[in-house]
Amino acid sequence: MLMMLLDSLFIDFNAYFASAEQHLRPELRGLPVGIAPLYTDATCCIAVSYEARAFGVRTGTMVYEAKKLCPHINIVEARPSLYVKLHHKLVAVVDSCIPVDEVVSIDEMACSLTSRWRDPGKAAAIALEIKQAIARRVGPCMRSSIGIGPNRFLAKTGTNMQKPDGLVIIQEKDLPHCLYGLDLKDITGIGRNMLKRLQTSGIHTVKELCAARKKELHGVWGGIEGDRMYARLRGEFVPCPPTRRSSIGHSHILPPRLRNQSGALAVLHRLLQKAAMRLRHLGYFASCLSAKIKYVGGGRWKDSVNFLETQNTFDLVRGLSLILQRRKPVVDAPLAVSVTLTGLLAAHNTTPPLFDRKKADRQAALFRTVDAINRDYGGRTVYCGSAHRAMHAAPMRIAFTHIPDLKTERD
Ligand SMILES: [Mg+2]
């Protein structure tokens, strides 16, 4: 068998949102910090600094519980746009050391090791160079765990093996025993459902997972993804299905009766909800929304907003409302509108939970139901209240079906 070379370097920032606040607000450095979400009433920590983790506070701990565990904890409201800005800076710094292949999530990046960097000594050197460059050019708070391995899966797994400020190299000779210290849930691709299925099949530890036959994993995963897991655990190179799409959008030329402000807004909202349904259908999350209005006189308006990756219509509607609110008044009549979602991430690459896990799960279930109803009864059967209001404001009845009572929206 050919010797497996190192192939992948993966960076995962530690307690990203909490570190970001400590970076942005030096008075928080060295102190326990818990980040609470911005856009929800949820009172649950979405990130926790290592100083607070020492008291048992974790991502997902309710704020009141966090205060009990760690009475002097600093609860900070999340500032997503600043974290996104910082993220772009970090990507640029890493990219100046080694080309970034893929931005996997707001706090994760994957790089390929080529030619001489595949040597373990050289790979470790580049990892240290990245850490130093970040400390020097961004700040010492932005610590990361770097994993290096013969495939991206193992490199990413390496980032879970040493935190904070880790550097782990997994070579062929370390496999599979180096993985035995991990819990099954630390393995990328094993979510809560898969964990249950593995347990039902008698696989309770990573050691048992590594010992399982290919056929067995094929059965547990219910298909080729099980074969992929088998190969990844052995350090084989397994190409992922690429993120083919870069945007999802819709545009519409307004019929004469809708060439007014409220008509344009109603259609924008409707297009957004259609795009959101497609986003979920295709299995993506978006982190940027832009909207355009063309006016009869030839004028144009365009604006966009960045946010943490989401596939939740409520988040997207809030984004659209935000940019519409900051639009300057225009006298011309609108002629055409469009909505585009970009910054797409495949669902398996996103990092749950960014917000209150329970609420996120509930809302995901809600939209699965809404999408199913719209598929079965037509795309206009159920939609969000914001579009409803906008449509009520439209002077003429548009060809939208009346909104059914969507109690669940009042979360
Ligand atoms: Mg992280």
Side-chain angles (χ1 to χ4, degrees), residues 286-304:
S287 61
C288 178
L289 179 156
S290 54
K292 269 191 231 170
I293 302 178
K294 276 189 209 164
Y295 293 95
V296 172
R300 278 157 197 266
W301 166 83
K302 187 186 173 189
D303 199 355
S304 62

Side-chain angles (χ1 to χ4, degrees), residues 12-15 107:
D12 182 320
F13 285 86
N14 305 128
D107 71 336

Side-chain angles (χ1 to χ4, degrees), residues 17 26 29 54 56 130 141 150 156-157 164 190 208 224 250 252 312 323 354 392:
F17 302 149
R29 292 182 191 174
I130 292 168
C141 296
K156 183 174 161 101
T157 303
I190 300 185
E208 287 166 350
I224 188 115
H250 291 289
H252 193 66
N312 179 320
I323 54 176
L354 289 174
H392 263 310

Side-chain angles (χ1 to χ4, degrees), residues 292-343:
K292 269 191 231 170
I293 302 178
K294 276 189 209 164
Y295 293 95
V296 172
R300 278 157 197 266
W301 166 83
K302 187 186 173 189
D303 199 355
S304 62
V305 58
N306 290 309
F307 35 78
L308 296 179
E309 72 250 18
T310 186
Q311 56 171 200
N312 179 320
T313 302
F314 298 147
D315 293 336
L316 298 171
V317 164
R318 270 190 289 268
L320 178 60
S321 304
L322 182 90
I323 54 176
L324 287 172
Q325 270 162 25
R326 62 189 187 205
R327 192 172 47 116
K328 290 194 189 88
V330 177
V331 254
D332 281 349
L335 177 66
V337 295
S338 72
V339 165
T340 311
L341 300 174
T342 52

Side-chain angles (χ1 to χ4, degrees), residues 11-16 50 53 105 107-108 163 351:
I11 305 166
D12 182 320
F13 285 86
N14 305 128
Y16 179 66
Y50 279 83
R53 288 183 196 203
S105 73
D107 71 336
E108 295 174 317
K163 286 180 175 187
T351 335

